[in-house]
Structures are given as structure tokens and as C-alpha cells.
């Protein structure tokens, strides 16, 4: 989930679907003309949540991993 101004964008990534599936774990989200996303929130399959509450500039590549705790 990404928030830019008054817009909230949600995307779902499902991996490993089907026989011999090789889906990419990369998720690209376009934010239009906005210079940055105001915040970012990932809800993992386990139910854990990762939040970034600082602006993320457009064009930024993030690598996020679910914490073990």
C-alpha cells in the first residue's frame, strides 16, 4: 500500500502459482506525477506489517524483507 497525497494505491503480489511457476518477486508501483510516495506499508502473508512513514522519492528501488521476530 502506497500513499501519495490523497491517493492510496494497493497491489497484491502472489508467487509460485501453478506448475513450474517462476513469477518475479519484483513489484513495480507507478505513482504518476507525484515526486514521492508519502508512506509505504507492506502486509506480509504471515500478517506482519512493515511501514515506512517517511517520503520515498519516485524512482526509488527498495528491497524489503519480512522480519523474523
Amino acid at each position: 500500500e502506497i500513499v501519495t497525497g490523497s491517493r492510496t494505491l494497493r497491489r497484491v503480489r502472489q508467487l509460485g502459482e501453478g506448475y513450474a511457476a517462476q513469477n518475479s518477486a519484483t513489484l513495480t508501483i507507478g505513482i504518476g506525477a507525484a515526486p514521492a510516495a508519502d508512506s509505504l506499508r507492506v502486509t506480509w502473508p504471515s500478517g506482519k506489517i512493515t511501514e515506512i512513514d517517511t517520503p520515498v522519492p519516485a524512482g526509488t528501488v527498495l528491497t524489503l524483507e519480512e522480519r523474523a521476530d
Side-chain angles (χ1 to χ4, degrees):
E1 178 175 293
I2 291 184
V3 176
T4 62
S6 62
R7 293 186 334 163
T8 299
L9 307 168
R10 291 183 183 89
R11 300 292 182 269
V12 175
R13 168 63 63 211
Q14 294 180 320
L15 302 176
E17 298 173 332
Y19 176 74
Q22 294 199 9
N23 302 348
S24 172
T26 302
L27 179 62
T28 302
I29 301 176
I31 59 173
D38 298 326
S39 64
L40 180 139
R41 175 183 170 128
V42 176
T43 303
W44 300 98
S46 67
K48 292 179 183 174
I49 295 173
T50 300
E51 291 184 299
I52 299 175
D53 292 326
T54 57
V56 179
T60 298
V61 175
L62 299 173
T63 301
L64 302 175
E65 295 181 8
E66 182 178 7
R67 295 183 310 195
D69 59 353

